[in-house]
Amino acid sequence: MTTTALIVAAGKGERLGGGVPKQFRLLGGKPVLRWAVESLIRHPGVRTARVVVGQGQQERATAALAGLDVGPLIEGGVERADSVRAGLAAVEGDAVLVHDAARPFCPEAVVDRLLASLEFFEGAAPVIPVGDTLARIGETLADPVDRDGLARVQTPQAFRLRALKSAYELWRGPSPTDETTVLRAAGMKVAAVEGDPALDKLTLPADFDRAEQWLAGRLIPRTGMGFDVHAFGGIGPIMLGGVEIPHERGLSGHSDADVILHAITDALLGAAGLGDIGEHFPPSDEQWRGANSTLFLTHAVRLLSDRGAIIDHIDCTLIAEAPKVGPHRDSMRARIAGIAGLRVEQVSVKATTTEGLGFTGRREGVAAQAVASIRMGF
């Protein structure tokens, strides 16, 4: 069964205030939308992911999803159902997971239960039993409501794609709040599977406080160190920090010899306990000859993302007499931040010399050392 995750992120989040839609607010250093997408695309049962955004939100969404394979962004409509319809028109396959971007954390076990239910039902949704007393309200508290048999319905919701598309074609009511309503109105059955409190929706400022506390309890800080050296050889320019820098001499190496990106890649891999760059990209493998080192850093970032890790900060120092980093520092920071899905403020690039000592002092080559701070689950 080929499954597409369809993440709906076209809302304005007006109840939260602050002028920034909640799907683009930062949570644990990452936009809420990125959390929601990553929680689904790392599931082995999800083949592709697509994201629906509101008009004028494309730039923010592109920045939030940098480095993730989500295909072209889909423009949604005024109502949530309009956005879902636009998304359904753009996806193919056997099944679809429709998910709200305002629910950033989706446990893998919930997706397992949803997809398993599609063998017997046209749709499935995660639910949480109602534990609180329910009552009608006016100016004062009124009669209680029997909570037996009631549940809170969450997303993602799973559907056989053809069934959901046909149900929407038949829908004639007001804009539905979720897709199970549409499917049931078409006479199809929706399975109820066990949900998870982690899927609770972010609506109010207190919800963000709760989510930050939840994250803090699951992640522990880790630190990784990286170091790389390359000798001068041939003619320039050279690559440093993913940026081409004019220089009379080039750097010798199997790839493009970008010592800054190599050191950062090793620092990230080390922080996550995932070995070193040589294990993932052996210099004996000809496919990496002359390779752009952004591939290496992208790979390390993806490995950390797949494990639910958060990159908090990257600090790198170039050790060289020349070239000078100062004129290119901002470009390097922006390039590294873009690859790692970080804000520029989370990336530091510095330079120092060895006062004429050693191979760097003799201008025989350059070196770089990096430190990466991350948070990762046990």
Side-chain angles (χ1 to χ4, degrees):
M1 181 171 63
T2 56
T3 302
T4 299
L6 182 65
I7 297 92
V8 183
K12 297 180 180 179
E14 294 173 335
R15 280 184 288 178
L16 192 64
V20 177
K22 59 189 172 186
Q23 63 268 34
F24 302 120
R25 294 202 174 199
L26 294 182
L27 181 62
K30 292 196 295 189
V32 169
L33 172 59
R34 190 178 186 93
W35 279 108
V37 173
E38 288 179 343
S39 70
L40 291 181
I41 62 175
R42 64 172 174 250
H43 190 282
V46 175
R47 185 182 66 175
T48 57
R50 299 296 302 274
V51 179
V52 185
V53 299
Q55 186 177 14
Q57 295 180 346
Q58 286 84 353
E59 186 175 346
R60 268 180 171 160
T62 298
L65 299 170
L68 298 182
D69 184 11
V70 295
L73 296 173
I74 304 165
E75 185 170 308
V78 177
E79 302 288 344
R80 181 184 182 281
D82 299 327
S83 297
V84 174
R85 281 192 174 101
L88 292 176
V91 303
E92 299 177 346
D94 303 314
V96 62
L97 287 163
V98 182
H99 191 40
D100 297 331
R103 303 178 192 267
F105 311 125
C106 182
E108 188 172 293
V110 173
V111 178
D112 290 339
R113 293 191 284 269
L114 289 168
L115 296 182
S117 295
L118 292 186
E119 184 177 352
F120 308 101
F121 300 92
E122 287 87 0
V127 301
I128 295 286
V130 176
D132 297 320
T133 297
L134 299 178
R136 292 183 175 85
I137 57 171
E139 292 184 2
T140 60
L141 197 63
D143 295 335
V145 176
D146 187 0
R147 68 188 183 196
D148 287 346
L150 297 181
R152 293 189 290 116
V153 182
Q154 302 174 311
T155 73
Q157 296 172 356
F159 304 94
R160 297 179 190 174
L161 184 56
R162 288 184 181 178
L164 184 56
K165 286 184 175 182
S166 65
Y168 257 114
E169 290 173 359
L170 296 172
W171 180 258
R172 296 295 181 268
S175 183
T177 57
D178 78 339
E179 283 55 62
T180 64
T181 305
V182 177
L183 209 70
R184 289 184 292 105
M188 303 181 205
K189 293 184 177 181
V190 179
V193 306
E194 181 184 354
D196 195 293
L199 280 168
D200 284 349
K201 195 173 184 179
L202 301 179
T203 304
L204 302 173
D207 298 327
F208 274 79
D209 294 339
R210 168 184 50 80
E212 289 281 7
Q213 291 170 5
W214 185 86
L215 268 179
R218 293 178 59 87
L219 303 178
I220 58 173
R222 295 184 177 206
T223 302
M225 300 179 64
F227 182 78
D228 194 47
V229 175
H230 282 285
F232 284 117
I235 60 173
I238 62 177
M239 296 297 296
L240 287 175
V243 176
E244 187 176 274
I245 296 177
H247 195 60
E248 66 273 13
R249 302 174 69 189
L251 287 172
S252 177
H254 188 66
S255 63
D256 63 3
D258 191 328
V259 291
I260 289 180
L261 293 192
H262 292 182
I264 292 173
T265 299
D266 254 353
L268 290 172
L269 292 172
L274 296 173
D276 59 43
I277 193 171
E279 294 180 41
H280 295 265
F281 303 96
S284 58
D285 191 335
E286 285 300 306
Q287 68 173 311
W288 307 123
R289 180 172 294 281
N292 190 318
S293 294
T294 59
L295 295 173
F296 306 159
L297 181 55
T298 298
H299 176 75
V301 170
R302 184 178 297 116
L303 288 178
L304 267 65
S305 175
D306 287 345
R307 287 157 177 78
I310 299 173
I311 302 172
D312 286 322
H313 193 261
I314 292 171
D315 182 27
C316 187
T317 300
L318 179 72
I319 305 168
E321 298 293 327
K324 299 300 182 183
V325 165
H328 311 284
R329 188 192 317 275
D330 290 343
S331 297
M332 291 181 189
R333 293 174 68 204
R335 182 66 171 138
I336 295 165
I339 297 170
L342 303 174
R343 303 187 309 280
V344 173
E345 294 79 8
Q346 293 174 274
V347 178
S348 172
V349 176
K350 313 185 301 296
T352 190
T353 70
T354 55
E355 301 293 337
L357 301 176
F359 76 94
T360 59
R362 294 190 298 270
R363 299 177 183 257
E364 296 173 358
V366 298
Q369 57 186 16
V371 177
S373 302
I374 72 171
R375 279 175 287 159
M376 190 172 173
F378 294 94

